[in-house]
Amino acid sequence: MTVALTAAPLVDTAQAYSAESGSLSFGGEPGEPISGGQSYGYEAGAVQLFDVQGSRDENSLAVAIDANQGTLWRLIVAAPDGQKLTEGTTYTGAKQWPYAQPGDPELTFSGTDKWCNTNSGSFTIEHIAFGPYGYVHELDATFEQYCNGSTVPLRGAVHAVMPEPPVELAMGMNTDPNATVNVPDGRITVGGTVTCNKPASVTVTGQVFQIQRHETPGASYETYVACAPGAPVPWSVTLTSQEPGTSFRPGTATMRGRARADDRDYPVAVDTGQQESEVTLSKG
């Protein structure tokens, strides 16, 4: 969309959700470029989307209103680089990206086919409540924007209560101490379980090696698990040694592995870290 060209995209933001309650109102006098001298008002629940997303570092946030008939309004505000948006603070001298300098706050309000080439203004964070990773739970803010050098301001206010912050992904992985080896081809089957407190697509990676008298067979593996909460979810892989001229035999082997998954609600990946354990290879 054209409006996306007028503002730097927020990175590391949480999954989009629609507000439980909220409103956006704005307007200006005749001659104001964005409003065209009219007043607008939107309520959560009466539009297709009313979303507020914050950056992971709590430096910026974006309000997106997707109204009926393809009308989109977007408000982006940011504190100066390295600072967090702070309740009870008025940020003056705001500019839009890319003209804002590191020490400047940022402000952009635009709509479908309505945007500023340059702007200036201010905004006030009257109330803000953050959840994990910059998730915005509650917001009350006002803003004032002068577009394209106009002396007529656009003034607006936004209020939003978002759903309770989703639980953060927690995950675990266990290795089955018992595995099988097929004699004489040396093919082994190893496995374990993963656990999670909410659905996640988990990648399990690792290596298996066996120190023998004259050689050390070994193999790497990668598999995917659709993890669901409630009970451990099993996984297994079948491997042959990747070391030329070697094969696994009945006995003890060393297994290293780790599990990793992206949190579907937050811009973060959860990693169990590498785990190492001994497994017993029995004839299968």
Side-chain angles (χ1 to χ4, degrees):
M1 296 184 61
T2 306
V3 64
L5 301 176
T6 68
L10 292 187
V11 296
D12 288 340
T13 56
Q15 172 73 24
Y17 290 92
S18 199
E20 292 183 342
S21 63
S23 64
L24 170 70
S25 59
F26 62 92
E29 298 297 323
E32 196 287 309
I34 300 296
S35 67
Q38 301 184 38
S39 296
Y40 296 81
Y42 300 93
E43 297 286 336
V47 293
Q48 295 180 13
L49 178 69
F50 193 121
D51 181 45
V52 182
Q53 294 190 48
S55 61
R56 183 174 177 175
D57 59 4
E58 301 181 6
N59 167 262
S60 58
L61 64 83
V63 180
I65 309 298
D66 187 358
N68 295 325
Q69 299 178 345
T71 300
L72 174 69
W73 298 102
R74 193 179 193 200
L75 169 69
I76 297 177
V77 298
D81 287 1
Q83 299 182 26
K84 295 183 178 182
L85 291 171
T86 304
E87 181 172 297
T89 301
T90 296
Y91 297 87
T92 58
K95 301 179 179 66
Q96 73 178 27
W97 179 88
Y99 303 104
Q101 300 301 305
D104 296 329
E106 295 183 30
L107 166 68
T108 301
F109 184 80
S110 55
T112 306
D113 299 326
K114 296 182 179 182
W115 64 91
C116 308
N117 294 318
T118 60
N119 75 354
S120 62
S122 63
F123 62 93
T124 299
I125 303 296
E126 298 175 346
H127 169 66
I128 193 166
F130 284 107
Y133 304 106
Y135 181 93
V136 179
H137 184 210
E138 298 175 354
L139 173 67
D140 296 296
T142 58
F143 57 95
E144 181 177 87
Q145 175 178 269
Y146 293 85
C147 181
N148 295 336
S150 172
T151 58
V152 181
L154 177 143
R155 295 187 175 95
V158 59
H159 309 279
V161 176
M162 302 299 292
E164 286 292 326
V167 63
E168 299 174 61
L169 176 62
M171 189 173 60
M173 184 187 77
N174 289 310
T175 300
D176 190 336
N178 299 307
T180 61
V181 56
N182 186 48
V183 179
D185 67 7
R187 187 173 63 254
I188 63 173
T189 299
V190 298
T193 60
V194 293
T195 56
C196 53
N197 62 341
K198 63 181 180 181
S201 178
V202 182
T203 303
V204 180
T205 59
Q207 305 84 35
V208 183
F209 64 92
Q210 186 182 47
I211 300 177
Q212 301 173 358
R213 179 172 296 183
H214 300 294
E215 55 196 26
T216 304
S220 299
Y221 62 88
E222 179 175 280
T223 189
Y224 302 92
V225 184
C227 189
V233 180
W235 61 272
S236 65
V237 290
T238 298
L239 310 165
T240 55
S241 177
Q242 296 167 336
E243 298 296 328
T246 67
S247 61
F248 291 101
R249 301 173 184 172
T252 300
T254 300
M255 188 168 175
R256 294 172 179 163
R258 69 194 308 152
R260 183 186 184 280
D262 292 328
D263 191 318
R264 65 178 187 175
D265 297 303
Y266 299 113
V268 64
V270 177
D271 194 319
T272 62
Q274 180 168 278
Q275 302 175 16
E276 181 173 311
S277 61
E278 299 297 313
V279 296
T280 300
L281 302 178
S282 302
K283 289 183 180 180

